[in-house]
Amino acid sequence: MSDEFVLDPGLCHLNHAAVGPWPRRAVAAVTCFAEENARLGSLGYLDWLGVEQRLRERLAELIGAERASDIALAKNTSEALSVIAHGLPWTPGDNIVGIAQEFPSNRVVWESLADQGVTWRALDLDRSRDPEADLIALCDDSTRMIAVSWVQYASGLRLDLERLGAWCRANAVLLCVDAIQGLGALPFDLRRFQADFVVADGHKWMLGPEGLALLYVRPEWRERLRLRQFGWHMVEHSGDFDRTDWTPASDARRFECGSPNLLGTHALEASLSLLAEIGMDEVWNRLQARTDHLIGLIDERGFELLTPRAPERRAGIVTFRVPGESAARLYPLLMARRVLCAQRGGGLRFSPHFYTEFETLERAMRLLDDILSESTDSL
């Protein structure tokens, strides 16, 4: 499947945890969509909606949802989280338990509920040896929700969602999962994880475009979320424009107020078709082999691994620190040598995918060696 990716051979793309490249089929899907639009306008609109339906089906399969109609398409993860946060019926004194080191989207949205008397309680992962137990320990009788990322964006720590989900369901606490750093990298099982809400943008490990995200709301909660956005698309009879009475759609479309992003839909559906052909178990096996190899290269050099070493605690992110060096200094030097990576959590974050060549990993580390050697020579 490496022929699906046409990355410049001089580029070491190790940044799927930020924005992933599109496979050939996604580029082709968007090109065909644009050319059809230029020649025929919206003549094929019903066919475009068929692609949208296939996308919902693929996303439902990806997380293990029962029906495609359980999947809403949001603009991004932040919007999806906002739909949940500002739709739930809160009571003053309620609290939400999360993680201090979360990406801002998974902090700001919960902090924004302060004017409703809702408190966000944050676990400091740097002081936790058992994050699931410590998250649970932060809960009390006023805890309504645990809201966490499946995989932490900086350290790459993967939470045990099965353990959290079982406790939440047994204790009538909601579980909201930001799955953006895991979906497309390794299998997700909604039945085992028992999440009430799942959100994820498509532009990272799912290899799709920005501007399109998954929003899953457990059907029992769908009609209990207060809607804050309204428009023609979210009503039950969305095609009957002359109808003056309306009710929100009974399925997840109720969370989609306006016209769909059909350009993004064509790209993401095509990208997910690639993952489906390979199978998520195989995608994960290949990605794990690459992260294992990368960790080996880090260990050989005596660098400090910041990502958990245990395989069950990792996904596709590998973050490390070079002793005696600043990541803030090394990062721009790596980027200048076309090693596409990130500076996160006090270290350098490399995030390959299932198709990344092992040679790409080795070349990136050799380029880092060169940078360090040049620094030594200049002393």
Side-chain angles (χ1 to χ4, degrees):
M1 289 292 180
S2 59
D3 60 346
E4 277 279 355
F5 297 89
V6 292
L7 289 165
D8 187 303
L11 179 71
C12 295
H13 193 300
L14 300 173
N15 210 25
H16 293 85
V19 179
W22 296 2
R24 283 181 186 268
R25 64 183 67 192
V27 175
V30 168
T31 301
C32 290
F33 176 82
E35 290 177 347
E36 178 185 340
N37 193 300
R39 289 185 298 105
L40 302 174
S42 60
L43 182 64
Y45 198 88
L46 292 180
D47 293 331
W48 300 348
L49 293 181
V51 176
E52 184 190 56
Q53 176 60 22
R54 289 203 303 276
L55 174 59
R56 294 181 198 273
E57 291 167 358
R58 292 193 188 282
L59 289 169
E61 182 177 1
L62 194 64
I63 67 170
E66 291 187 10
R67 294 172 292 274
S69 58
D70 292 336
I71 304 299
L73 301 175
K75 292 192 290 291
N76 46 59
T77 304
S78 297
E79 181 189 55
L81 288 171
S82 293
V83 167
I84 297 163
H86 289 276
L88 284 166
W90 302 102
T91 299
D94 287 344
N95 69 67
I96 301 160
V97 169
I99 289 173
Q101 288 83 359
E102 286 281 9
F103 191 75
S105 295
N106 230 325
R107 169 177 52 81
V108 173
V109 68
W110 310 117
E111 290 178 331
S112 74
L113 297 170
D115 63 356
Q116 298 185 45
V118 179
T119 304
W120 181 65
R121 298 180 172 183
L123 169 68
D124 183 355
L125 282 178
D126 294 337
R127 299 185 177 186
S128 175
R129 292 191 173 185
D130 188 341
E132 293 80 16
D134 291 339
L135 285 165
I136 291 169
L138 280 176
C139 298
D140 60 21
D141 291 342
S142 297
T143 302
R144 293 284 308 285
M145 173 187 285
I146 293 179
V148 291
S149 290
W150 183 19
V151 178
Q152 287 295 305
Y153 82 103
S155 68
L157 168 71
R158 173 160 55 109
L159 292 179
D160 184 346
L161 293 184
E162 188 168 7
R163 182 179 173 191
L164 278 180
W167 184 88
C168 285
R169 192 60 60 90
N171 290 273
V173 172
L174 297 170
L175 177 61
C176 180
V177 177
D178 178 348
I180 194 171
Q181 292 293 2
L183 276 187
L186 67 164
F188 186 98
D189 190 340
L190 190 59
R191 287 172 286 272
R192 284 197 302 116
F193 298 161
Q194 300 187 74
D196 299 284
F197 310 101
V198 182
V199 301
D201 244 306
H203 65 268
K204 298 184 187 291
W205 303 94
M206 288 187 269
L207 303 168
E210 292 183 285
L212 194 57
L214 156 79
L215 167 59
Y216 168 83
V217 176
R218 188 156 61 96
E220 295 92 318
W221 275 95
R222 192 180 295 152
E223 294 189 8
R224 298 169 69 180
L225 291 187
R226 181 176 178 181
L227 298 175
R228 305 284 181 173
Q229 301 181 92
F230 300 85
W232 72 271
H233 191 263
M234 48 76 67
V235 302
E236 187 66 47
H237 302 284
S238 58
D240 189 352
F241 303 132
D242 294 326
R243 187 167 179 157
T244 56
D245 65 304
W246 61 274
T247 57
S250 57
D251 60 16
R253 188 167 48 82
R254 69 195 288 119
F255 304 118
E256 304 170 6
C257 62
S259 297
N261 175 3
L262 290 174
L263 180 66
T265 292
H266 278 72
L268 185 55
E269 192 279 329
S271 294
L272 291 182
S273 75
L274 173 62
L275 297 179
E277 283 179 19
I278 301 170
M280 284 311 305
D281 287 335
E282 180 61 19
V283 166
W284 175 227
N285 287 338
R286 296 185 194 181
L287 176 55
Q288 219 172 2
R290 283 147 178 81
T291 53
D292 286 346
H293 186 64
L294 181 53
I295 289 172
L297 295 171
I298 291 167
D299 288 344
E300 285 175 9
R301 289 161 170 80
F303 298 161
E304 179 186 0
L305 183 67
L306 301 179
T307 295
R309 193 170 291 276
E312 68 273 12
R313 283 297 191 188
R314 289 191 270 117
I317 289 172
V318 178
T319 305
F320 64 97
R321 183 186 294 123
V322 178
E325 287 282 355
S326 164
R329 187 186 81 85
L330 296 176
Y331 166 68
L333 296 174
L334 281 168
M335 291 288 285
R337 287 162 173 76
R338 308 194 78 193
V339 178
L340 189 53
C341 59
Q343 178 191 339
R344 298 286 188 271
L348 298 169
R349 186 185 73 181
F350 285 6
S351 48
H353 211 325
F354 74 93
Y355 68 88
T356 305
E357 300 289 347
F358 289 94
E359 164 58 23
T360 299
L361 303 175
E362 294 161 3
R363 179 154 48 96
M365 296 304 286
R366 288 197 300 269
L367 289 168
L368 179 55
D369 290 341
D370 293 343
I371 292 170
L372 296 174
S373 177
E374 292 168 5
S375 301
T376 302
D377 292 344
S378 66
L379 295 177

